Amino acid sequence: MTSAPTRPVDLYPTRGSREELIGRKDPVVWSEPGTPGPFWARELEEYDRDGFVTVEELVTPDEVDELRAELDRLVADPSVRADERAIVEPRSQEIRSVFEVHRISEVFRRLAEDPRIVGRARQILGSDVYVHQSRVNVKPGFGASGFYWHSDFETWHAEDGLPRMRTVSVSIALTPNHTTNGSLMIMPGSHRTFLGCAGETPKDNYKQSLRMQDAGTPSHEALTTFADACGIRHFTGPAGSATWFDCNALHGSGDNITPYPRSNVFLVFNSVENMPEMPFAAPVRRPSFIAARPEERA
Ligand SMILES: O=C(O)CCC(=O)C(=O)O
Ligand SMILES: [Fe+2]
């Protein structure tokens, strides 16, 4: 008798007929307490409690200079603009994001392999890790648009098939992040509850959602409940500082109408014990430059 391939159990249903709140079923910090690595124990405690932690100088000023110069080079390069991995602002036609920047650029590849960064990701995820996604969000001044409130995990689960909450992002500031220039806002403690969103995922959702979020967007009521319970914190800091945040933390950012760019590189690490399955709530997988398929790279 042949048996149909079994679907893994869906611990976090989403994109159904109603929004629903589901308690987190996974640890936040996966490694045993005392596992050696660059994070101090109290930093991991803070990460566990709030769903994020800031590191004051993750990379040095000299390294920031090199990364900034590389970013400027990429943004000015016509072949990058023509690449499907570059996302352009609908209004100004300026580059908004460059995906898979760790594969486009040698400088960013080295950053994604840096022991200060990979070591921290391993401490949080308690295993070997690989890059699920990388991107620079350029956010130039005078009108770059923001990112509406979302949980990354909701999308990575629904559209990329990541089964468990065992994924972490680091956002490294390459320009100063002020309260005024579209810096990241996070709701501390929101990572403890999964917000299953209402609504079906259209085919090719990613093309739209990279410019503007739609499917997978929480309701005003749900966001108000979370914000009332958790509060909202702002990630600000000089270039070189970084925030590590859990895949299920609710976060977003406003437009940047100041003259000062807010350019950050985001590296997303997934545990090798959390390999992507088929999408849990989408007709097709997103392209591999948005959601790596490590099995196809071997
Ligand atoms: O760049 C930002 O302000 C937010 C980006 C973000 O949330 C994302 O890339 O998932
Ligand atoms: Fe995000």
Side-chain angles (χ1 to χ4, degrees):
M1 202 179 82
T2 54
S3 55
T6 48
R7 284 288 294 149
V9 186
D10 186 356
L11 294 177
Y12 301 107
T14 186
R15 317 245 173 136
S17 54
R18 282 189 281 118
E19 217 171 27
E20 76 181 296
L21 297 177
I22 300 167
R24 185 184 182 109
K25 299 185 166 61
D26 291 307
V28 179
V29 175
W30 287 73
S31 64
E32 294 297 323
T35 303
F39 271 129
W40 299 102
R42 62 172 164 71
E43 291 176 310
L44 289 175
E45 281 161 23
E46 193 177 323
Y47 179 87
D48 186 54
R49 184 191 67 215
D50 294 339
F52 63 93
V53 66
T54 295
V55 175
E56 292 303 326
E57 192 181 291
L58 187 63
V59 294
T60 65
D62 285 350
E63 291 167 320
V64 168
D65 288 347
E66 189 190 12
L67 291 162
R68 269 295 291 283
E70 177 68 354
L71 175 59
D72 293 346
R73 188 189 69 76
L74 291 171
V75 168
D77 181 342
S79 70
V80 172
R81 172 175 280 268
D83 194 301
E84 61 174 348
R85 293 172 287 187
I87 312 297
V88 170
E89 286 276 351
R91 270 173 302 170
S92 67
Q93 293 295 304
E94 283 188 274
I95 289 191
R96 170 180 172 80
S97 302
V98 181
F99 277 88
E100 228 179 29
V101 69
H102 73 296
R103 300 189 88 210
I104 292 179
S105 151
E106 172 63 21
V107 175
F108 284 101
R109 183 187 65 74
R110 272 192 272 118
L111 183 72
E113 291 176 358
D114 190 295
R116 289 168 294 182
I117 292 172
V118 180
R120 284 179 167 91
R122 291 172 57 112
Q123 255 177 309
I124 289 172
L125 302 179
S127 68
D128 276 335
V129 301
Y130 69 92
V131 176
H132 173 68
Q133 182 187 95
S134 76
R135 71 197 282 187
V136 271
N137 285 341
V138 183
K139 272 210 164 174
F142 300 118
S145 35
F147 291 80
Y148 196 68
W149 292 106
H150 63 282
S151 145
D152 291 330
F153 179 75
E154 196 279 336
T155 305
W156 298 339
H157 184 66
E159 301 190 30
D160 304 340
L162 295 192
R164 310 293 292 254
M165 293 182 184
R166 199 168 180 179
T167 315
V168 61
S169 297
V170 60
S171 173
I172 307 170
L174 302 182
T175 62
N177 282 213
H178 306 294
T179 51
T180 46
N181 66 347
S183 63
L184 202 65
M185 294 182 276
I186 308 188
M187 297 192 194
S190 58
H191 64 306
R192 300 229 164 256
T193 307
F194 178 70
L195 178 59
C197 294
E200 254 182 72
T201 318
K203 197 164 172 281
D204 277 358
N205 181 43
Y206 80 92
K207 288 191 180 153
Q208 172 63 20
S209 73
L210 296 181
R211 294 184 179 85
M212 228 163 34
Q213 284 274 323
D214 196 3
T217 303
S219 69
H220 293 180
E221 293 73 21
L223 289 170
T224 306
T225 305
F226 272 94
D228 285 350
C230 303
I232 297 174
R233 296 246 294 270
H234 234 139
F235 163 46
T236 57
S241 60
T243 286
W244 290 84
F245 61 101
D246 178 79
C247 57
N248 190 45
L250 277 174
H251 62 282
S253 61
D255 295 354
N256 181 15
I257 59 168
T258 74
Y260 312 112
R262 193 235 63 183
S263 304
N264 287 30
V265 54
F266 289 73
L267 301 170
V268 180
F269 294 95
N270 187 35
S271 164
V272 297
E273 292 166 23
N274 191 40
M275 285 298 176
E277 316 268 356
M278 290 312 283
F280 283 85
V284 287
R285 297 169 108 177
R286 300 195 297 174
S288 62
F289 70 84
I290 299 179
R293 293 175 200 158
E295 76 283 3
E296 290 173 15
R297 290 236 175 102

